[in-house]
Amino acid sequence: MSRERLALGFGLLGIALLGWGSYLGLFVAPPDRYMGDVQRIMYVHVPTAWLALVVFTLAFIYAVLFLVHRSWRWDALHEASLEIGVLFTGLLCIQGALWGKPTWGVYWAWDPRLTTVAVMLLSFTGILSLRHFLDDPLRRASWSAATTILASANVPVVYYSVRWWNSLHQLQSTPKTVNSSMVEPLRINAFGLLFLTIALIMARSWIAESRRRKAMAPPLAKESS
Amino acid sequence: MSGMIQGGWEFVWAAYGITFTTLSLYCFSLWMRLRADKNEP
């Protein structure tokens, strides 16, 4: 099977699962006892949060692998993870704001979880911008890998912020604390977004790899007249 | 008073709408970039 077909398969499977999970979350799962129907935002918000953290963890791993092995494949995957992680974190902030307004009364609060997520979004957006400003592929890859390793220190802080500090944001739920009818759409959407993410990372890394190859290709010889 | 938040569907639809529109646009942009990349010499 070609890699294009594999990515397309992952993408289509992801989209199908996201459609099914969202249908269950919107129309089948019961409303929350306190938050009512607004809680249905959880079925897209929580998988987006999980995948944003997973993708930035991958970016950290690819950054380390590039610095150790100096293989361009890791740099392409690093660039792909950065872009998709920033996309998911941006979405996460919007979904969270839309959930915060009817439940907290405000779109945004400088609470530990929201603040650490904002820092994560800004730091990785900065690294993506850095990659756009640097023309030399080796310098671009090395500098962005080093800054990704630094920025990744905040990723576990985002996850544990609700436990370490007194946060307005709720603690992580577990299948023991959530009704089973709510767990099913959550899991389906999480797997759907996971498969879609695999497809997106594959496709975005091909673009990064192709651009790097073109940038490093030797100039064409001048035609002799 | 049940203590349950009433309504709020507009926030739910906005969250789902923005999420799926953004993901669709990103998929489309990747497809366009891949196509442009293949057509480039």
Side-chain angles (χ1 to χ4, degrees), chain A residues 7 10-11 13-15 17-18 47-48 50-52 54-55 58 84 88 186-202, chain B residues 23:
Chain A
F10 274 125
L13 179 62
I15 290 166
L17 286 176
L18 276 173
T48 308
W50 286 343
L51 266 298
V54 166
V55 169
L58 283 176
I84 292 155
F88 285 177
L186 187 62
R187 280 190 179 154
I188 293 169
N189 268 359
F191 276 106
L193 199 58
L194 174 68
F195 289 129
L196 183 63
T197 304
I198 293 169
L200 294 178
I201 288 180
M202 287 173 80
Chain B
L23 288 177

Side-chain angles (χ1 to χ4, degrees), chain B residues 9-24:
Chain B
W9 272 101
E10 64 275 24
F11 293 101
V12 178
W13 288 122
Y16 278 77
I18 290 169
T19 301
F20 286 103
T21 306
T22 307
L23 288 177
S24 305

Side-chain angles (χ1 to χ4, degrees), chain A:
Chain A
M1 187 190 280
S2 71
R3 62 180 197 170
E4 283 88 359
R5 283 195 177 187
L6 188 66
L8 186 66
F10 274 125
L12 291 176
L13 179 62
I15 290 166
L17 286 176
L18 276 173
W20 182 30
S22 299
Y23 168 76
L24 293 178
L26 285 169
F27 304 112
V28 179
D32 180 80
R33 184 184 294 178
Y34 300 110
M35 289 187 273
D37 290 314
V38 172
Q39 174 270 342
R40 296 178 194 279
I41 295 174
M42 177 187 79
Y43 303 116
V44 283
H45 183 64
V46 172
T48 308
W50 286 343
L51 266 298
L53 294 178
V54 166
V55 169
F56 283 140
T57 305
L58 283 176
F60 167 78
I61 293 168
Y62 295 143
V64 171
L65 285 171
F66 174 78
L67 290 178
V68 172
H69 298 290
R70 297 277 164 177
S71 162
W72 291 111
R73 183 169 163 247
W74 300 126
D75 179 59
L77 286 164
H78 174 221
E79 184 176 309
S81 307
L82 283 176
E83 189 173 287
I84 292 155
V86 165
L87 175 81
F88 285 177
T89 311
L91 275 177
L92 184 66
C93 291
I94 295 169
Q95 295 159 350
L98 288 165
W99 198 356
K101 181 64 180 168
T103 50
W104 300 344
V106 287
Y107 285 108
W108 185 267
W110 291 105
D111 142 283
R113 169 55 72 82
L114 276 67
T115 306
T116 50
V117 168
V119 169
M120 185 168 78
L121 177 63
L122 290 175
S123 54
F124 284 104
T125 305
I127 297 167
L128 261 185
S129 310
L130 177 75
R131 288 189 69 94
H132 283 283
F133 288 127
L134 293 170
D135 291 327
D136 176 29
L138 184 59
R139 190 177 290 180
R140 180 171 60 215
S142 306
W143 287 19
S144 63
T147 45
T148 290
I149 291 168
L150 281 177
S152 297
N154 184 41
V155 174
V157 179
V158 169
Y159 183 79
Y160 287 107
S161 58
V162 286
R163 297 188 194 184
W164 290 345
W165 297 293
N166 186 17
S167 176
L168 188 60
H169 193 283
Q170 69 180 71
L171 281 166
Q172 292 96 345
S173 301
T174 67
K176 286 179 188 168
T177 60
V178 176
N179 189 291
S180 60
S181 58
M182 292 173 167
V183 173
E184 192 183 4
L186 187 62
R187 280 190 179 154
I188 293 169
N189 268 359
F191 276 106
L193 199 58
L194 174 68
F195 289 129
L196 183 63
T197 304
I198 293 169
L200 294 178
I201 288 180
M202 287 173 80
R204 184 60 185 82
S205 70
W206 301 335
I207 296 168
E209 179 62 16
S210 168
R211 284 185 183 166
R212 197 267 315 159
R213 270 202 201 120
K214 283 171 188 165
M216 291 179 81
L220 291 172
K222 198 176 175 183
E223 278 182 35
S224 54
S225 52

